[in-house]
Amino acid sequence: MKDARPSLTAAWVAAARTFGTLLPPELQLAHDPYGAAFAKAYLPERLAGSRLGRALAVRPGLGTWVLYMQIRTRVLDDHVRAFIVAHPRGQLVLLGAGYDCRALRLAELANVPVFEIDHPATQQRKQRVLGKLGATSPAHYVAWDFEQPMSELVGALVAAGFERNLPSLTIWEGVTMYLSEGAIDASLRAVHAWCAPGSQLAMTYFERTRIEQPSPMMRLVRTVVRAGGEPFVWGWQAEELPPYLAARGYTVRENRSLDEAARDHWPPEVAAIVQARGSRYCLAEPI
Ligand SMILES: C[S@@+](CC[C@H](N)C(=O)[O-])C[C@H]1O[C@@H](n2cnc3c(N)ncnc32)[C@H](O)[C@@H]1O
């Protein structure tokens, strides 16, 4: 991402979360009342809550974006809930938190320490926007550039209150596709260093073919994110990820496409709008 500029992609995905409210109630899987505020300058405000907005939200185009973020958010929210039930004293780390407002919107996290790590430019903007909304997040903020050495990150996390002897769930959502391989490798080693027994890593990723041989829709998205200074650069084919993670001390528990997850929740004609071929999530545990 371009130095000193807050992430644009973080704003777009946050807005898409809020736009879930345009869907018919039976299709809504996650609710984020904060997200649209981060993309205010880029959004036609009249769309939110309008009849046109509601019609577009269930059609390819706007619907692809809104439904995709609903399923991605829900899959990870479910992992958060399951982790907290299993580890009531657990901690949540959002690696590349962007404008993720789980610390504010998930009631289950009321007594769970949440640590948000992100680029200083994005993080400062997040605090400013939340401040303007009058929303006080209980999250602990740690500013970091993942392209800089990662070995010291665990120290910064501990300085922010993280307890290394307690289990943690690290969420790495919508970040891996923007990082260099060096930053990916260093991040996985950094996460491993803060994982006490019982810890987990939940991440999303693109298959390389989604970046290199994009569908017409993905070609458009790829052009837009590149123009915004955040090009897609990294992906794994689904079968490559388990050995890659094993080499860094993790075992994979789940490795699924978001299309499959969409079919778990929605009728086939709605799930088909998501077009998430090659967009996947993985749950891994340190060995
Ligand atoms: C698409 S956003 C996803 C944000 C959030 N996880 C979500 O799903 O809403 C990508 C995030 O990665 C962060 N990011 C990208 N490159 C980074 C870097 N080199 N150092 C720190 N953060 C970075 C951006 O600031 C941004 O918040």
Side-chain angles (χ1 to χ4, degrees), residues 1 7 9 13 17 72 96-98 118-119 122 144-146 173-174:
M1 55 184 284
S7 167
T9 57
V13 297
R17 283 196 192 98
R72 181 171 119 181
D118 207 301
H119 194 281
T122 307
W144 209 269
D145 181 347
F146 304 145
E173 178 184 7

Side-chain angles (χ1 to χ4, degrees), residues 53-277:
R54 284 195 290 275
L56 293 178
V58 284
R59 283 180 175 70
L62 182 67
T64 305
W65 184 48
V66 171
L67 290 163
Y68 175 76
M69 283 311 299
Q70 283 286 294
I71 192 64
R72 181 171 119 181
T73 306
R74 174 60 177 266
V75 162
L76 294 173
D77 283 354
D78 284 349
H79 279 308
V80 171
R81 293 187 180 105
F83 178 79
I84 295 309
V85 168
H87 303 284
R89 293 195 62 215
Q91 310 163 93
L92 182 66
V93 179
L94 301 173
L95 187 60
Y99 305 131
D100 175 332
C101 286
R102 286 193 170 89
L104 279 160
R105 64 179 184 78
L106 292 186
E108 293 86 344
L109 290 175
N111 299 312
V112 175
V114 178
F115 299 86
E116 297 193 359
I117 308 172
D118 207 301
H119 194 281
T122 307
Q123 204 164 72
Q124 282 160 17
R125 178 160 187 268
K126 181 176 199 172
Q127 288 169 280
R128 269 198 315 276
V129 172
L130 286 179
K132 278 191 199 154
L133 292 178
T136 309
S137 173
H140 305 273
Y141 293 102
V142 178
W144 209 269
D145 181 347
F146 304 145
E147 299 292 346
Q148 300 302 317
M150 293 289 286
S151 52
E152 300 298 313
L153 179 53
V154 63
L157 202 50
V158 168
F162 182 85
E163 296 199 44
R164 282 184 86 169
N165 59 333
L166 294 179
S168 55
L169 169 63
T170 299
I171 302 254
W172 205 16
E173 178 184 7
V175 184
T176 54
M177 53 293 286
Y178 301 103
L179 300 181
S180 64
E181 190 187 3
I184 295 271
D185 176 64
S187 299
L188 285 167
R189 295 181 194 281
V191 173
H192 201 278
W194 67 63
C195 280
S199 297
Q200 295 179 331
L201 166 67
M203 59 185 275
T204 63
Y205 70 98
F206 284 172
E207 288 199 315
R208 210 175 36 256
T209 43
R210 186 169 165 91
I211 300 173
E212 292 174 359
Q213 297 154 33
S215 63
M217 170 72 84
M218 270 306 284
R219 200 168 301 143
L220 178 68
V221 176
R222 193 179 62 169
T223 305
V224 171
V225 297
R226 191 189 294 141
E230 296 171 57
F232 295 140
V233 290
W234 184 255
W236 297 266
Q237 293 309 99
E239 65 282 4
E240 292 169 354
L241 186 63
Y244 189 95
L245 290 179
R248 286 148 188 88
Y250 298 86
T251 184
V252 167
R253 295 282 173 230
E254 235 178 295
N255 182 9
R256 288 186 90 206
S257 98
L258 285 171
D259 267 340
E260 280 174 72
R263 289 192 291 271
D264 292 346
H265 289 276
W266 291 315
E269 65 280 11
V270 175
I273 298 171
V274 176
Q275 297 180 30
R277 193 165 48 85

